[in-house]
Amino acid sequence: MAVHDERLEVADTIAGDPTLLAAVPSFGVARLPRIVFGAGRRAEVPALVAALGNRALLVTGARSFHGSPAWTEITTGLDAAGITWEHVAVDGEPSPELVDGVVATSRLDPPDVVVGIGGGSALDAAKAIAGLLRSGTVALDHLEGVGRGIPYPGPPTPFVAVPTTAGTGSEATKNAVLSGRIKPTGGGAAMPYKKSLRDDRLVAAVAVVDPDLLTGCPPAVIAGDGLDALTQCLEAYVSTGASPFTDAVARSGLAAIGSALPAWYGAARAGKPPSATERARSAMAWGALASGIALANAGLGAVHGMIAALGVRHGVHHGTGCGILLAGTTRVNVTALRARDPGGSALGKYADAARLLAGEPRLDHDEAVDGLVAWLTALVSELGLPRLGDVGVREADIPVLVAESRGSSMRTNPITLEDSEIATILAASR
Ligand SMILES: [Zn+2]
């Protein structure tokens, strides 16, 4: 036994995973899509759709993907495979009304499969539409927090997710975020909200992740969405809901994003051709997918708790807001962990994340933990992000934002933060 234990410890040390030094805890893995990953694999979309039916509804963003060569390629392929298709373009973040409108029209002659092609908003819209086409219900029947609380009855229409940005990980998750306004029960002005339609059955049947589809991403989208993926990998890694499975996925995502995000952003800003960004795009496509798989199973943390409130109150772009908050949140989490949970696993994970992001495996614990905040700060500045003050957040807004940041993401933060600590993060990010 002693020999075996010794060998295990050596293996753990080599793996560099601080969580494996204990017995493997019990854990589960939620439903995942069938994943088809690789450059050029968009060519398989028609065959994958044909396996699910012969009538498709294509949902894209409004940002002219349907004028691109990839659009022509995919639709020509669908035609050749004998699939009839309709197309809906979604402008911006989907609302319950938009989803219900598409569903009401499409229900008359319902498709066999919904194909979402685009960024997070288009994929979320497609996911919600696929969920409601056959249920006979509307989005607000099931929307968390603001809906009628009716359990989602299913069944969903099979959904194929084809991301064209590297960020949200929506291709791997079971929720669709919808935005709208709702009248408070006591009267008064309608309040904005962003809430999820969430069910295991909403997970895509297939996710086709083709890094070639990322070639048109402008630098600001690369930065904002890439920082969302980075935040999701880091928060899932240090989450109290993490498991050996999510740790492995999140670590791989962090290692990919650490070098690829600044490289891709820099090349895109310099106007380099797609051939110069092949490796970075594939690493970011994987990093984003990894972040979705990790968050779906481990949950997130304080950054996502705060961005929920910032998105609703100030219309801050999700990924950009995550980037703005990331370094300050990491600093406050690390300080709180050193004071209140110095023996827990989270500090070791922060050190490990720093080594992976910076590509410096030999950093010692303290160097790595302190270096992480500096590394994140430098990255966010290199990616040209604004500060919260630039997007209209005033000092006086902070108490409300603190109060509204206590959603489900905050509950899996590696340490419970005091209101004053959340206020410190927001103030330091202005
Ligand atoms: Zn996110």
Side-chain angles (χ1 to χ4, degrees), residues 167-169 227-229 231-232 235 291 295 300 303-304 307 318-319 322:
T168 68
L227 285 166
D228 187 21
T231 306
Q232 288 170 176
E235 293 206 303
S291 80
L295 85 86
L300 292 163
V303 172
H304 276 81
I307 191 59
H318 179 86
C322 286

Side-chain angles (χ1 to χ4, degrees), residues 322-405:
C322 286
I324 295 171
L325 296 168
L326 185 55
T329 304
T330 305
R331 185 194 304 278
V332 167
N333 270 350
V334 163
T335 305
L337 286 162
R338 279 176 168 156
R340 307 202 284 275
D341 187 23
S345 65
L347 281 172
K349 285 180 151 188
Y350 272 127
D352 196 37
R355 296 181 190 110
L356 292 163
L357 285 167
E360 293 188 41
R362 272 181 261 284
L363 292 177
D364 77 26
H365 177 90
D366 286 335
E367 263 180 335
V369 174
D370 293 333
L372 178 59
V373 176
W375 190 91
L376 292 170
T377 305
L379 175 71
V380 166
S381 140
E382 187 181 338
L383 267 46
L385 255 62
R387 303 193 51 83
L388 286 183
D390 302 328
V391 293
V393 179
R394 297 162 305 148
E395 191 80 42
D397 298 322
I398 290 178
V400 172
L401 292 169
V402 171
E404 291 180 356
S405 66

